[in-house]
Amino acid sequence: MNSRAHTGRGLAWALVGPTLALLIAFNIFPLVYNVVSSFTNAELIGGAWRSVGGANYARVFEDELFAGALRRTALFVVCAVAVELTLGFALALTLQRDFKGKQVVLTTLLVPMMLSPAVMGLYWNLVLNGNYGVVNQGLSALGFDPPQWLTDRDYKFWSILLIDVWMWTPFMMLIALAGLNSIPASIYEAAQIDRASRWKVFTRITLPMSAPVLGLAVLFRATDALKQFDLVMAVTGPNDAATQTLSTLLYQVVFRDGSVGLGAAFSCVILVLVIALATVFTRYIDRVQSRDVSA
Amino acid sequence: MKSILWSVCALFALGLAACSGENPNQSGAPAASASKPSIKIWWFQWDPATGLQELGREFESETGIAVEVQQIPLASYQEKVFLEFGGSRTSFDIVIGDSQWIGRGASSGLYVELTDWLPTVVDLATIHPRAAKYLCEYPEGSGRWYAAPCETDAVGLAYRKDWFEDPAERSAFQARFGRELTVPATYEEFRQVAEFFQRPDAKRYGCAMPSDRNYDGLTMGVQNLLWAFGGKWKDEASNKVVGHLDTQGTVDAIEFFKTLMKLGPNGCERLDYGQVLESFTNGSTAMILNYFAFFPGIQAQFGDKVGFAVVPSHEGRRVASLGGQGLSVSAKIPPEQQEHAKRFIAWFLQRRVQERWITKPAGFTANSAILASPEFRAKTPYNAPFADSVDAMRDFWNVPAFNKLLAVTQRYVGMAVDGEMPTAEALKKLALEKERILKEEGLL
């Protein structure tokens, strides 16, 4: 019996051990290292570090750049997720029914999501270019005075948002479609027998029953939008006051300025924010799911 | 059960062995490379790097030491170089670093000091004093050398000579401004000519200059005007910024720069060096301010349709942003590699090699005698203005914290140029921010 238990424990370690080792090497150790670095004046090019206490954290909370990047990132997350959710859900409702050519439409709509954000950033750089971009060429041909999408301070942030919406609306659509398809047809049939209006069906059946899945989609997209990096780098670079997000600020501080200690403090604060946000979302999803189970 | 356990363990052990096992071919590689000495040079991707590689082959045939010039895209060059320096050994032996990096390279022990060695292989008097001061010495003018000049460069003016000489354009200009259409000698004239040629409906534009926010484009574009208008980045003696940067001269320079941004192609307020060049080579822009290293390509494309000149002046002050880079030996390579690297530098600085260097695409020298020689000045249309520009060139900060100073400069000057913040306010904030950085770094 003892020997069997011993063997079982050995097997458990053998199975879990490699994963645990990788987790420690690639997650736990860098995290601890980052926290330690955040209390030092470490520089990218090496040299002796010394402790600076909480000075880096004081800088983070005093820094106008951080406040600006935080505001901009929050605005980006809210706008991007809201627009993508609305458009994605609307598209899913449209595509829920069967029609001729549905697969072709679905596949075409999914293409932007499958492309690399960095490549898409470069591609949209060409599309929205003020001189030779196809959008401005078209607007000029129609007699409009075309705006400078990527250089005008009033437009560049919204241009990046537009590209993000173009890329990720299909993702929202896909998840929403899965949610809609999981609603049993019998519920709709019962509603039909009860002569429920289309609006009632939508607000009492479709929306509440797809809410948990939509919540999950919002969680995925919000955490993804929160670390928006590739598009900003490709379109305006990391040091543009009008478009700098938390991730690009972090890149600027660590890789351009070489301030590893300060960058580590920035990243710790961002990590806390992300964990807080993720906790709110997961609690919401848990609540919705437990409500469903009890119902 | 036991057999499963053994299978898992065996697989894991196999995986570990695969990860840690040495490739016999790899372990044999150092032996192969040890038989043939070689050096690796890092530079960013542009024509002069290709020219240097060609010279490297000549060096190899003379000395038996192979030279490989690796070209890194400019946008990521700085990060890649300093990430390399973060390790215990760099994969390059020589780095052709931006002039602004020298403070960081020297004070952090990344570059080998060449002060005692360099005079033994070259007469330092042959190196143009401005190139020595900004490209090679740290602190500036201290006589402590950490680099040898490789590419010497400055911002100059390229213009469409055929447009300037067109009789119809000349008479239209005369009628509108009451003077002859000439190559602009002052910034007022430059703006006037740009205004004259600005015809967006005909896809013809007045002027373009570096204004990109990604690395240093905007700073290099603005500082030509900044110094000419009497502004400055700092007090030269004390490094103080407040009260020196946030002055009327700097405000005037940026305000003037903003007016020029309205006289260029769409989106001209954020053009990198390549895009400035492109705005000219696509035949749409009358004048550009850009580095001389780009001008040979323009000359090859347009022939005698283009002309070149020094940057304009303002109230008698003419200053050109310094470009160019020096050859620095990495301190993080073995001594024998440092010796090979020094041997290449000594070879490269010889007059006969410098005379070969200036025949390479966009190869510009810091050799004073060559710059002053009538043959050099007459050889191409851009050589004489280049030689004159070397006498007028100045550089941005080159202290160890230059990258932080550059980042805040790009940001605040960018906000002023974009109208996100009034220029005077942006400069006040920039001055305070720079002093904070300088104090943190112990430079103030």
Side-chain angles (χ1 to χ4, degrees), chain B residues 144-262:
Chain B
R144 295 187 67 178
W145 293 64
Y146 288 89
C150 180
E151 173 77 355
T152 308
D153 204 355
V155 168
L157 166 67
Y159 62 95
R160 286 296 297 266
K161 200 167 151 194
D162 52 342
W163 296 4
F164 276 66
E165 288 173 352
D166 183 334
E169 299 286 10
R170 293 177 72 85
S171 58
F173 187 88
Q174 177 80 44
R176 186 165 161 191
F177 295 104
R179 69 174 184 89
E180 262 191 61
L181 175 57
T182 53
V183 180
T186 67
Y187 279 106
E188 283 297 342
E189 290 176 10
F190 182 82
R191 182 164 64 182
Q192 224 170 45
V193 176
E195 202 180 313
F196 175 70
F197 282 116
Q198 181 72 5
R199 300 161 199 169
D201 293 342
K203 301 265 181 216
R204 186 176 274 200
Y205 306 100
C207 64
M209 60 204 69
S211 53
D212 182 49
R213 316 298 156 82
N214 212 6
Y215 177 48
D216 65 354
L218 180 65
T219 305
M220 296 301 121
V222 161
Q223 67 181 7
N224 298 299
L225 285 85
L226 180 139
W227 287 312
F229 279 72
K232 44 174 128 167
W233 291 124
K234 59 172 175 175
D235 175 54
E236 294 296 328
S238 66
N239 269 353
K240 281 197 168 161
V241 184
V242 175
H244 299 279
L245 168 66
D246 46 343
T247 56
Q248 196 53 45
T250 317
V251 172
D252 291 345
I254 292 177
E255 288 299 322
F256 196 93
F257 187 86
K258 282 164 74 172
T259 65
L260 296 178
M261 292 293 101
K262 293 184 173 67

Side-chain angles (χ1 to χ4, degrees), chain A residues 11 18 43 45 59 64-65 130-131 148 151 153 156 236 238-240 244 251-252 255-257 259, chain B residues 1 5 12 79 82 108 214 265-267 269-270 403-404 407 410-411 415 418-420 429 436 440:
Chain A
L11 177 64
E43 291 277 325
I45 53 168
R59 265 290 297 285
E64 280 181 26
L65 293 185
N131 274 320
Q148 295 306 303
T151 54
R153 68 193 165 102
K156 44 194 173 184
T236 58
N239 195 27
D240 192 311
Q244 193 172 54
Y251 177 83
Q252 176 69 32
F255 293 100
R256 291 280 172 88
D257 298 358
S259 305
Chain B
M1 192 61 160
L5 178 62
F12 186 53
E79 285 107 287
F82 285 104
S108 301
N214 212 6
N266 294 330
E269 60 282 335
R270 52 179 314 117
N403 51 333
K404 294 177 189 172
Q410 289 278 104
R411 169 172 279 270
M415 288 165 93
D418 288 347
E420 281 175 46
K429 288 199 168 188
R436 183 189 61 73
E440 268 179 16

Side-chain angles (χ1 to χ4, degrees), chain B residues 59-111:
Chain B
F59 174 73
E60 184 180 358
S61 66
E62 286 182 31
T63 63
I65 300 171
V67 175
E68 185 192 346
V69 180
Q70 287 199 346
Q71 300 188 37
I72 317 283
L74 178 60
S76 58
Y77 186 49
Q78 183 186 214
E79 285 107 287
K80 283 204 162 69
V81 168
F82 285 104
L83 276 172
E84 278 289 312
F85 274 128
S88 57
R89 181 180 171 157
T90 56
S91 59
F92 51 79
D93 302 299
I94 292 176
V95 61
I96 303 184
D98 239 355
S99 56
Q100 302 149 17
W101 301 358
I102 198 161
R104 206 173 178 195
S107 58
S108 301
L110 310 176
Y111 291 175

Side-chain angles (χ1 to χ4, degrees), chain A residues 30 168 201 212 277 292:
Chain A
W168 292 111
V201 170
L277 195 69
D292 286 352

Side-chain angles (χ1 to χ4, degrees), chain A residues 132-156:
Chain A
Y132 46 78
V134 67
V135 172
N136 277 11
Q137 297 275 1
L139 289 173
S140 296
L142 292 171
F144 293 105
D145 184 18
Q148 295 306 303
W149 303 103
L150 306 178
T151 54
D152 191 314
R153 68 193 165 102
D154 295 329
Y155 291 109
K156 44 194 173 184

